[in-house]
Amino acid sequence: MIKCLIFDCDGTLVDSELICNLGLEIQLREYNIETSANDMMKKYRGGKLAEILKSIEEEHNIVLKDNFVKNYRELIELLFEKKLTACEGVNEMLQNIDLPICVASSGPTKKINKALSITGLKKYFNENIYSSYEINSWKPDPEIFLHAAKEMGFYPNECLVIEDSMKGIQAGLAANMKTVLYDPMYVHENIEGVYKINGMNELKDIISTHNNG
């Protein structure tokens, strides 16, 4: 039985993945690195920022300045205010979900709250927001999902994870949770043991099948 839904944020609730990588693209121009936000999104989707930056340093043989992350976060806030929207169908889906819900994201709490506030989604989650930065554990490790389940008061096998990245899917499976891959662009193959949806309106059928089947 599904009793609680655990949502990733970036790329699942809010259409932010490209924006975040656009911020990296802009910041890296200072280092004479010309790269594509689309390419970086494919390469780094769902990853921990510190690991992404380490990979960039190694690939381009550079050392990023101490203020790189601070400047990047500030730039992302500005880009969010100008460009960020909720993923298609998310508002309607959340309006019709009659189960406890929360967010479990690899992003910092401030960024999650900002994204949800700008897109009008914060009202659905209130304070049920959990960040990898709070527990110092990032996907594909399952700890952020296990932490969210515990805080929400549910066992892992009572939770359904909704994710858009492979790291998130791996974390959901490792947490022994029912797991959904949100794939609106049809870029992923089917994964054994994982539900796949292309639109958020399909989520209600998965819940109904489990809880009423």
Side-chain angles (χ1 to χ4, degrees):
M1 184 121 179
I2 295 168
K3 296 183 179 180
C4 178
L5 306 185
I6 303 178
F7 290 90
D8 174 50
C9 186
D10 292 310
T12 301
L13 293 173
V14 301
D15 196 7
S16 56
E17 290 282 5
L18 187 59
I19 296 173
C20 291
N21 284 284
L22 176 61
L24 275 181
E25 178 185 326
I26 293 168
Q27 287 283 104
L28 289 171
R29 289 175 190 161
E30 182 184 340
Y31 299 83
N32 297 314
I33 296 171
E34 291 295 330
T35 187
S36 157
N38 277 299
D39 289 345
M40 284 192 292
M41 182 172 70
K42 293 173 187 173
K43 187 174 182 179
Y44 297 124
R45 193 173 201 119
K48 178 183 177 184
L49 181 61
E51 293 176 357
I52 292 169
L53 298 183
K54 182 181 178 183
S55 174
I56 289 170
E57 286 184 321
E58 291 174 352
E59 181 179 346
H60 296 280
N61 194 27
I62 59 169
V63 176
L64 299 172
K65 295 177 182 177
D66 291 342
N67 64 354
F68 186 93
V69 173
K70 176 178 176 291
N71 292 343
Y72 169 75
R73 297 286 188 207
E74 290 172 353
L75 175 58
I76 292 304
E77 281 203 25
L78 292 173
L79 292 173
F80 273 12
E81 288 170 3
K82 291 180 181 179
K83 298 174 178 288
L84 189 65
T85 59
C87 290
E88 186 176 353
V90 165
N91 253 302
E92 295 82 352
M93 177 270 296
L94 291 175
Q95 287 170 11
N96 293 297
I97 291 292
D98 191 25
L99 289 171
I101 61 174
C102 67
V103 176
S105 168
S106 292
T109 305
K110 181 182 177 183
K111 178 190 171 192
I112 303 166
N113 279 309
K114 182 82 170 179
L116 295 177
S117 296
I118 288 172
T119 54
L121 302 180
K122 183 73 164 67
K123 62 187 179 226
Y124 298 110
F125 296 96
N126 298 312
E127 302 308 312
N128 297 330
I129 293 169
Y130 307 104
S131 165
S132 287
Y133 285 82
E134 295 173 349
I135 62 169
N136 199 35
S137 178
W138 281 262
K139 306 166 189 176
D141 293 333
E143 279 78 7
I144 185 59
F145 290 143
L146 295 172
H147 172 70
K150 184 178 179 181
E151 291 295 311
M152 292 293 289
F154 297 97
Y155 293 109
N157 63 5
E158 296 176 324
C159 298
L160 179 71
V161 165
I162 302 94
E163 266 282 357
D164 72 305
S165 74
M166 287 301 102
K167 283 184 170 64
I169 294 298
Q170 291 166 15
L173 292 174
N176 193 33
M177 295 179 180
K178 301 168 190 72
T179 306
V180 172
L181 172 61
Y182 173 56
D183 184 25
M185 303 302 291
Y186 297 85
V187 297
H188 296 292
E189 300 292 329
N190 291 331
I191 303 169
E192 186 177 351
V194 175
Y195 298 101
K196 188 164 77 163
I197 61 173
N198 305 117
M200 282 295 176
N201 61 321
E202 299 171 53
L203 197 55
K204 64 181 184 299
D205 295 329
I206 294 172
I207 297 168
S208 178
T209 298
H210 259 281
N211 292 358
N212 302 317

